[in-house]
Amino acid sequence: AQSVTQLDSHVSVSEGTPVLLRCNYSSSYSPSLFWYVQHPNKGLQLLLKYTSAATLVKGINGFEAEFKKSETSFHLTKPSAHMSDAAEYFCVVSDPASGGSYIPTFGRGTSLIVHP
Amino acid sequence: DAGVIQSPRHEVTEMGQEVTLRCKPISGHDYLFWYRQTMMRGLELLIYFNNNVPIDDSGMPEDRFSAKMPNASFSTLKIQPSEPRDSAVYFCASSLGSPTAGSRTDTQYFGPGTRLTVL
């Protein structure tokens, strides 16, 4: 069975400082991993995804994440936070369920707060 | 493509009434998912379909909830009768499964959600 743990429910940073949102996963297979972002009163939007290619994945808006199998982690980073980055971020793991389909499991989310 | 379309965007109803939420997935996508999001429980997968067939409805909370997908371009989630604890944002998402062995689902595309308030 797959699972995902987002280690922080809230992260607060100042504008212009680095962002680190932590995610650990558990999977019996080679999983796909995703980060989604949800701005207030909006649906979820894909930031980036890892599907067994390069371990460092670059996404939209300057975000990137590194897949570390030995640590079962997929942390999301950005060198410099913008006010517009304030949102809820979801880490997602997906591996073959019964029948072979990859069905995603979402983390509880991390709320990123950006101070001026 | 217009993306995943959900209607209505907001629904306010009274306890005991029937509520129907609608979703139009992205054309060509063969997986459709219904989620519920609340502050207390986060994002919960309720049910998903593959090629219009319900595959896993283990996340549906009670018999009051039912979902259908009569064709590839339309799905409904019905709550009957509704209760105040059903108040949440309901999301529909679709994705394209790979034609290779394993039917690997890829990126999910989410609709804007329906905010349901049951009084």
Side-chain angles (χ1 to χ4, degrees):
Chain A
Q2 62 191 19
S3 66
V4 60
T5 302
Q6 292 184 241
L7 298 165
D8 307 291
S9 59
H10 296 84
V11 170
S12 183
V13 301
S14 297
E15 190 175 20
T17 64
V19 175
L20 170 64
L21 305 183
R22 298 182 295 165
C23 173
N24 286 103
Y25 71 92
S26 173
S27 173
S28 302
Y29 303 88
S30 294
S32 294
L33 293 157
F34 307 78
W35 277 98
Y36 285 82
V37 60
Q38 183 182 27
H39 288 94
N41 300 313
K42 300 290 186 183
L44 282 73
Q45 179 187 13
L46 180 71
L47 266 183
L48 52 81
K49 64 182 179 183
Y50 165 79
T51 55
S52 74
T55 56
L56 182 62
V57 182
K58 294 187 183 299
I60 62 172
N61 300 333
F63 284 94
E64 62 182 36
E66 186 171 7
F67 172 69
K68 292 187 177 180
K69 186 175 181 179
S70 61
E71 299 177 10
T72 61
S73 69
F74 190 58
H75 301 333
L76 182 69
T77 60
K78 183 174 180 177
S80 176
H82 288 185
M83 295 296 293
S84 60
D85 294 329
E88 191 84 10
Y89 291 80
F90 293 91
C91 182
V92 181
V93 63
S94 177
D95 69 15
S98 59
S101 297
Y102 283 67
I103 300 304
T105 297
F106 282 73
R108 289 299 306 268
T110 298
S111 179
L112 177 63
I113 302 161
V114 183
H115 299 285
Chain B
D1 200 310
V4 176
I5 299 172
Q6 291 186 248
S7 64
R9 292 294 308 277
H10 302 272
E11 176 82 29
V12 180
T13 190
E14 293 188 345
M15 182 174 62
Q17 297 298 307
E18 177 181 302
V19 175
T20 299
L21 310 181
R22 297 173 176 80
C23 175
K24 176 178 169 55
I26 291 173
S27 177
H29 282 190
D30 55 352
Y31 281 84
L32 184 140
F33 304 80
W34 281 102
Y35 291 89
R36 178 172 68 176
Q37 187 179 39
T38 61
M39 290 292 292
M40 290 296 293
R41 301 174 69 91
L43 197 65
E44 302 173 275
L45 176 63
L46 300 177
I47 184 172
Y48 74 92
F49 295 82
N50 178 217
N51 292 321
N52 313 337
V53 176
I55 303 300
D56 184 352
D57 65 354
S58 60
M60 296 284 262
E62 300 172 33
D63 291 344
R64 299 183 296 106
F65 286 69
S66 63
K68 294 182 180 179
M69 193 165 185
N71 57 62
S73 59
F74 184 66
S75 176
T76 59
L77 178 67
K78 184 179 293 187
I79 308 172
Q80 180 184 23
S82 58
E83 296 183 5
R85 60 194 167 119
D86 301 331
S87 297
V89 181
Y90 291 81
F91 288 103
C92 175
S94 69
S95 69
L96 180 63
S98 167
T100 59
S103 296
R104 183 182 179 120
T105 58
D106 205 339
T107 305
Q108 289 188 307
Y109 294 84
F110 282 77
T114 295
R115 183 174 296 277
L116 174 64
T117 303
V118 183
L119 303 173

